[in-house]
Amino acid sequence: ADFFKLKIFSVEYRLAPEYPFPIGLQDCVFAYKWLLKKFKPENIIIFGGSAGGNLTLTSCLAIKQENLPLPSGLITLSGLFNKQGVYNSYKRNRHSDPMIGGNNSDEHYLGTLSNSLGNNPLVYPVKAHKDQLCGFPPTYLWVARCECLCDDTVVMERRLVEAGVQVRTSYDEYPYSVHGLPMFLTPSEPDGCLIWGPIKDWINTL
């Protein structure tokens, strides 16, 4: 909060398997509606990492479906945007990204019904049609190239650009990386400054 000079509201959404999809998404949309009572939408940015990156985009889809005013921007870090293991980066980077390699994060996020939800854009935003993504606010996507989920961001970026969304994507180069690296770094650390600094600059352009 001090680094960005912004108020930060963290959503403690309920988690699977005790609370399977769509409960976590509903919690996020509920939180956004609460924020709209306190702040103008142009002063709100939705920001999330990993499964939270997924929820950043799926929340915006749900908000758009409800014809609510959209936030001024979206930021995702190492987002999970499609079913795990679909893209080549999952195999390519399984040794450089031990946190994700071999884990079924779909079940962790969705619960036991994950196999029946693969084409739902409120589960996997890469499944959204162009008209569903059209009108999205400016979006910042971050991922490390050595992550298993790198190609999720590559494909999600393409889908957003095809829908006319203003997108900035940062593909950081590390030989090895913990999944969601920025969430483990502070802006005062050298690597943290290299990641968080451009995000801050981008926020200031909104």
Side-chain angles (χ1 to χ4, degrees), residues 3 174 181-182 184-198:
F3 177 73
Y174 295 95
L181 177 65
F184 298 93
L185 298 172
T186 66
S188 62
E189 297 174 277
D191 281 343
C193 183
L194 291 173
I195 295 171
W196 291 113

Side-chain angles (χ1 to χ4, degrees), residues 29-162:
V29 174
F30 179 85
Y32 182 75
K33 290 177 179 178
W34 182 87
L35 285 173
L36 286 176
K37 297 177 182 178
K38 309 289 183 180
F39 304 97
K40 295 179 180 179
E42 58 265 30
N43 293 328
I44 299 174
I45 298 169
I46 302 180
F47 190 149
S50 191
N54 175 295
L55 285 167
T56 295
L57 300 189
T58 56
S59 292
C60 195
L61 283 167
I63 290 163
K64 190 170 182 280
Q65 285 183 4
E66 293 194 33
N67 294 314
L68 295 168
L70 300 180
S72 66
L74 307 172
I75 301 172
T76 74
L77 307 174
S78 306
L80 172 66
F81 302 132
N82 202 349
K83 186 171 179 62
Q84 184 174 325
V86 170
Y87 300 125
N88 288 335
S89 60
Y90 183 77
K91 294 180 180 178
R92 184 175 72 244
N93 295 333
R94 66 185 183 275
H95 297 302
S96 58
D97 181 7
M99 186 178 291
I100 294 296
N103 293 321
N104 190 341
S105 56
D106 299 291
E107 276 192 18
H108 295 168
Y109 166 55
L110 298 170
T112 56
L113 297 176
S114 59
N115 289 333
S116 66
L117 297 169
N119 292 316
N120 187 339
L122 294 179
V123 175
Y124 299 117
V126 295
K127 303 295 184 179
H129 295 298
K130 184 176 179 179
D131 62 318
Q132 292 174 300
L133 296 172
C134 183
F136 259 39
T139 301
Y140 190 109
L141 308 173
W142 183 95
V143 72
R145 288 196 183 275
C146 64
E147 288 193 65
C148 288
L149 299 181
C150 177
D151 288 351
D152 283 57
T153 292
V154 172
V155 177
M156 194 70 244
E157 175 190 23
R158 183 167 66 243
R159 301 283 291 135
L160 289 165
V161 170
E162 288 171 351

